[in-house]
Amino acid sequence: MVKIAPSILTCDFSDLTQEIRKVEKENVDMLHLDIMDGHFVPNISFGPMVVKSLRPKTDLFFDVHLMIENADEFLVPFSEAGADLITVHIETCRDLKNTLNKIKSLGKKVGVCLNPDTPVEKVVKFLPELDIVMLMSVFPGFGGQGFIDSVLKKIEKLKAIREKDKLNLDIEVDGGINIKTAAQAVFSGADILVVGSAIYQAENLGQTIKYLKNLSH
Ligand code: DX5
Ligand code: ZN
């Protein structure tokens, strides 16, 4: 069964605990926390202080997606705030191997994210180090954007490499996932779906999550 990682980016920020409760009740697999700095992406979201204050409110696994220029400087703060998985963008890291080692030394799971125009080939040599590769299916910065279809080929390519090299990593897809695009992503090989607006703007949040969870490879 595919794993669902709701993104709180488009939820009601004035009542985050309650918004998290809504998805927690539906037995989602993790919570996706989008960290934006206004430099790497044209939007600002929230930082380690918010993550820290959410930590005691839920037992959900915290999937922290760093869309920031200077990720290295924030690994310790997000780790101490309660991240379980820290994902950095390949486009922002000068010495990715070193960044990945730092995340691991903090005892966290480690992920690398690729923008829609970054080819899968760029991440291949790092794959043995990774728990997750996240493929963006929108240009990061905002929730509610349209799914970029070309990610489907990248999912397939990554899945084939994983099989060939017998690697143990999950493929996470982030951006523009709704009932239609979720099926396409899962069919191509996605293991984890990040879903923001399709959950938080759904008429029936519970039914939407149930439907998404039941998509299988
Ligand atoms: C985009 C973020 C995503 C996004 C998901 O910059 O990384 O996590 O908010 O939201 P939807 O599902 O609305 O595209
Ligand atoms: Zn994200």
Side-chain angles (χ1 to χ4, degrees), residues 123-164:
V123 77
V124 168
K125 68 175 176 186
F126 302 101
L127 293 180
E129 319 286 332
L130 302 178
D131 296 298
I132 279 180
V133 176
M134 186 151 81
L135 298 176
M136 291 308 300
S137 34
V138 298
F139 282 92
F142 301 92
Q145 303 183 74
F147 186 81
I148 298 173
D149 287 330
S150 55
V151 75
L152 297 172
K153 286 248 164 345
K154 291 169 75 178
I155 302 171
E156 284 167 21
K157 194 178 268 186
L158 191 56
K159 191 181 170 207
I161 297 170
R162 177 177 67 183
E163 262 150 47
K164 179 174 69 63

Side-chain angles (χ1 to χ4, degrees), residues 7 9 32-36 63-67 89 113 134 136 140 172 174-175 194:
S7 158
L9 193 63
H32 185 83
L33 301 169
D34 284 308
I35 312 301
M36 303 178 173
D63 162 19
V64 173
H65 177 193
L66 295 184
M67 289 162 274
H89 268 261
C113 186
M134 186 151 81
M136 291 308 300
E172 182 168 8
D174 184 8
V194 176

Side-chain angles (χ1 to χ4, degrees), residues 53-67:
S53 60
L54 293 176
R55 189 61 288 181
K57 306 288 184 190
T58 176
D59 290 332
L60 282 171
F61 182 96
F62 277 3
D63 162 19
V64 173
H65 177 193
L66 295 184
M67 289 162 274

